[in-house]
Amino acid sequence: MLGTLIYGLAYVGLFTSTVLGFGVTTSGNSLIVDTSGGLIFTVEKTTGDITSMLFNGIEAQDQGGKRSHIASGIGATCSAVLTGNDNNYVKITCTTSTLTQYYVARYKDPAIHMATYITAEPTVGELRFIARLRRAALSSGYLVADIQGGTAIEGSDVYKVGSQTRSKFYSSRQFIDDQVHGVTGSGIGAYMIIPGTGYESASGGPFMRDINNQGGDVQELYYYMNSGHTQTEANRMGLHGPYALWFTTGAAPSATLDTTFWEGLAVNGLITKASRGRVTGKASGVPSAFSTFQTVVFSNSAAQYWARTDSSGSFTSPYMKPGTYTMTLYKVELAVASQSVSVSAGGVATSNIASQEANPTTIWQIGDFDGTPRGFLNSDKIENMHPSDSRMSSWGPVTFTVGSPISSFPMALFKAVGSVTIRFTATSAQVGARTLQIGTTLAFAGGRPQVVVNSWTGPAPAAPSQPDSRGVTRGTWRGNNIMYTVSIPSGVLVAGTNTITINVISGSSGDLYLSPNLVFDAIRLY
């Protein structure tokens, strides 16, 4: 009843939400929403920008020249209604010809619930929600992304602050593990929540990572949906989310957020839970050492989902949109099997999947073929700092002796830095025609490996298919996993000491860490 009363008064003129409680008021060009949960926020009717977020009397929205919004601002036209169960929801709909942004207040929630529907990518900026928060109120974000007082050293997004390199890209987390991220201050925290299937219309899969925060004069908090940041697949259209910007007195909120209330709000592109289906099954064939690192991924042009298996390989997918999907089994981050599966509304499909990965008997192997460079030199640092950072170990050139700790083998190879040489001893039974395989997870500027085995030079591979984006300097190794196979002729290897030198080749060039480069997964000889 109270919500209905307030909605009626909104037609008459301005009234004070803080006095009357939950509801939406109109004041000139502003829609002012009181959640009755400690949060009052304001949306500009002619742009869709959020111009104020007042939580427990603390203004969180930066009051400089830029606001909080989808993309880089969409110039939308906005309207508001009270709706849902007992009018306990305020829904603000901001529309353009290709994008609809929904802001929803739920009675007593200290949050701005959101969803974004698109039929085309924004013409300005990327598909992201950015909250531009007042640094004085929310001073603590990701230290690795705090660039205040720094100097740009690469593009306009990698900085040096004192002796450390920092970037908003270093705040990123893989989607599969990124349901809640935020920033805090005295008596206030602001957190993005991407619950359940919130990433279903985003792009890049479970191991994609994108910007969460940048701390400059303004504290920026993000939820990225589509971007060109080493994204490995095409952008998806449709409804992105639901997601939420949630305020607390400091502690992180739960990632478990029931979003079924959206089903009663008349939202474009929303597929109800009852109209979705699931897939259950068992993954097999992955070595026991990786039994707790298996992920099953479902993807098509409209949606993506994932589920981690238990140690026995059993899994159940999230509730998925009906359709036919490519179902892929990952050993850590390496795809080892793929098949098709169909999902029907209200149905539960059973689809088991078995690894098809080849595991030849090797003479030696450096690292694990798992789609990551983990364990290699500097792999423990690359997600949080630039390759030039003084905390990094030297990138080379490196000579590695087989049998040495793999932590001395570089995770990445840069054309302008130099090669890596592998030294090993072969017995008379191990010479003859052999196969060398080099797994890579990402490359930049057409970088690919060419080998010299003793005095024999291997063939030059074709340029790889990889995202057209900086990667390793922005803190990620995730691209397209590519295996390079080199057939070594009989007579090249000798009984005794042998060397294999790996060089990065490319028709392109660049300065040091922006020269053509590649990231190693593992190397084996058999």
Side-chain angles (χ1 to χ4, degrees):
M1 180 65 70
L2 177 60
T4 305
L5 173 62
I6 292 174
Y7 182 56
L9 288 174
Y11 288 105
V12 179
L14 175 64
F15 63 87
T16 307
S17 291
T18 53
V19 174
L20 295 180
F22 182 77
V24 57
T25 73
T26 298
S27 177
N29 195 33
S30 296
L31 296 169
I32 305 168
V33 179
D34 189 337
T35 67
S36 286
L39 175 66
I40 301 170
F41 65 93
T42 303
V43 176
E44 192 170 71
K45 289 195 297 182
T46 52
T47 64
D49 291 353
I50 296 174
T51 60
S52 176
M53 292 178 278
L54 193 67
F55 177 68
N56 289 347
I58 302 171
E59 178 58 71
Q61 171 64 42
D62 184 71
Q63 296 300 301
K66 293 185 177 181
R67 281 88 170 267
S68 298
H69 45 220
I70 194 72
S72 293
I74 55 173
T77 300
C78 303
S79 60
V81 295
L82 278 175
T83 186
N85 182 38
D86 294 329
N87 280 341
N88 279 329
Y89 300 87
V90 173
K91 182 179 76 169
I92 296 177
T93 304
C94 300
T95 58
T96 73
S97 61
T98 60
L99 188 153
T100 303
Q101 178 69 6
Y102 297 99
Y103 299 114
V104 171
R106 180 165 62 170
Y107 180 58
K108 291 290 188 181
D109 278 359
I112 307 172
H113 297 274
M114 290 178 273
T116 306
Y117 178 79
I118 63 168
T119 58
E121 285 294 296
T123 56
V124 178
E126 299 161 310
L127 191 64
R128 64 183 183 183
F129 180 81
I130 176 172
R132 290 189 170 93
L133 305 174
R134 196 164 59 91
R135 183 69 188 251
L138 294 123
S139 57
S140 298
Y142 290 75
L143 181 62
V144 293
D146 190 341
I147 63 169
Q148 196 167 40
T151 301
I153 62 169
E154 183 181 300
S156 58
D157 49 37
V158 182
Y159 288 76
K160 190 170 185 179
V161 181
S163 63
Q164 297 184 359
T165 53
R166 296 181 183 173
S167 174
K168 58 187 177 182
F169 288 96
Y170 304 151
S171 69
S172 64
R173 297 294 179 268
Q174 291 183 327
F175 285 174
I176 193 170
D177 293 318
D178 191 13
Q179 281 67 59
V180 178
H181 56 263
V183 296
T184 60
S186 178
I188 186 172
Y191 294 88
M192 294 303 309
I193 306 178
I194 306 96
T197 56
Y199 288 107
E200 70 179 357
S201 296
S203 299
F207 313 120
M208 173 70 182
R209 51 193 300 150
D210 221 324
I211 301 164
N212 284 346
N213 168 234
Q214 177 170 266
D217 293 337
V218 176
Q219 190 74 272
E220 297 173 350
L221 183 63
Y222 297 85
Y223 164 44
Y224 260 88
M225 301 161 224
N226 292 334
S227 78
H229 305 151
T230 61
Q231 188 170 297
T232 55
E233 59 182 348
N235 295 329
R236 291 183 173 90
M237 302 295 106
L239 187 70
H240 292 256
Y243 55 101
L245 176 58
W246 198 285
F247 288 86
T248 74
T249 55
S254 171
T256 305
L257 178 61
D258 184 358
T259 59
T260 55
F261 70 86
W262 281 88
E263 296 181 6
L265 300 183
V267 170
N268 287 339
L270 185 73
I271 307 297
T272 66
K273 186 176 180 179
S275 299
R276 294 169 176 259
R278 306 185 89 177
V279 179
T280 186
K282 189 168 185 176
S284 62
V286 170
S288 58
F290 298 94
S291 63
T292 57
F293 301 99
Q294 300 177 83
T295 305
V296 180
V297 178
F298 307 87
S299 63
N300 59 25
S301 61
Q304 59 173 4
Y305 307 93
W306 43 80
R308 284 193 169 108
T309 74
D310 64 18
S311 58
S312 73
S314 296
F315 65 89
T316 300
S317 77
Y319 286 91
M320 300 161 57
K321 297 177 182 179
T324 299
Y325 292 84
T326 298
M327 174 180 169
T328 304
L329 172 62
Y330 284 84
K331 182 186 80 175
V332 191
E333 295 181 29
L334 180 67
V336 295
S338 184
Q339 62 196 44
S340 180
V341 65
S342 293
V343 175
S344 61
V348 179
T350 299
S351 185
N352 300 321
I353 189 167
S355 172
Q356 302 298 310
E357 182 184 19
N359 288 291
T361 300
T362 62
I363 296 172
W364 51 256
Q365 181 169 309
I366 304 170
D368 293 318
F369 284 92
D370 63 2
T372 84
R374 290 189 179 99
F376 287 151
L377 182 71
N378 290 325
S379 65
D380 58 333
K381 303 182 183 73
I382 199 65
E383 294 174 297
N384 297 311
M385 62 188 77
H386 192 266
S388 67
D389 197 290
S390 61
R391 294 168 291 176
M392 289 281 188
S393 298
S394 172
W395 289 98
V398 169
T399 297
F400 176 85
T401 300
V402 170
S404 301
I406 66 168
S407 58
S408 61
F409 189 92
M411 64 153 288
L413 201 59
F414 301 87
K415 183 178 180 181
V417 172
S419 60
V420 59
T421 298
I422 301 169
R423 186 182 299 273
F424 65 99
T425 300
T427 67
S428 57
Q430 293 172 333
V431 299
R434 292 291 176 180
T435 299
L436 177 72
Q437 290 189 311
I438 303 170
T440 63
T441 71
L442 179 63
F444 175 69
R448 65 266 197 196
Q450 185 177 36
V451 302
V452 177
V453 184
N454 294 331
S455 59
W456 175 80
T457 299
S465 175
Q466 293 286 6
D468 184 17
S469 169
R470 286 176 289 150
V472 72
T473 61
R474 286 173 160 180
T476 185
W477 58 65
R478 181 72 277 127
N480 294 316
N481 293 317
I482 295 176
M483 180 78 84
Y484 295 91
T485 299
V486 182
S487 297
I488 302 174
S490 180
V492 172
L493 296 176
V494 300
T497 301
N498 295 268
T499 59
I500 297 176
T501 299
I502 305 174
N503 299 292
V504 176
I505 62 168
S506 172
S508 301
S509 60
D511 294 334
L512 207 55
Y513 302 112
L514 287 178
S515 65
N517 59 65
L518 58 86
V519 177
F520 288 110
D521 180 1
I523 305 100
R524 65 187 171 200
L525 179 70
Y526 62 92

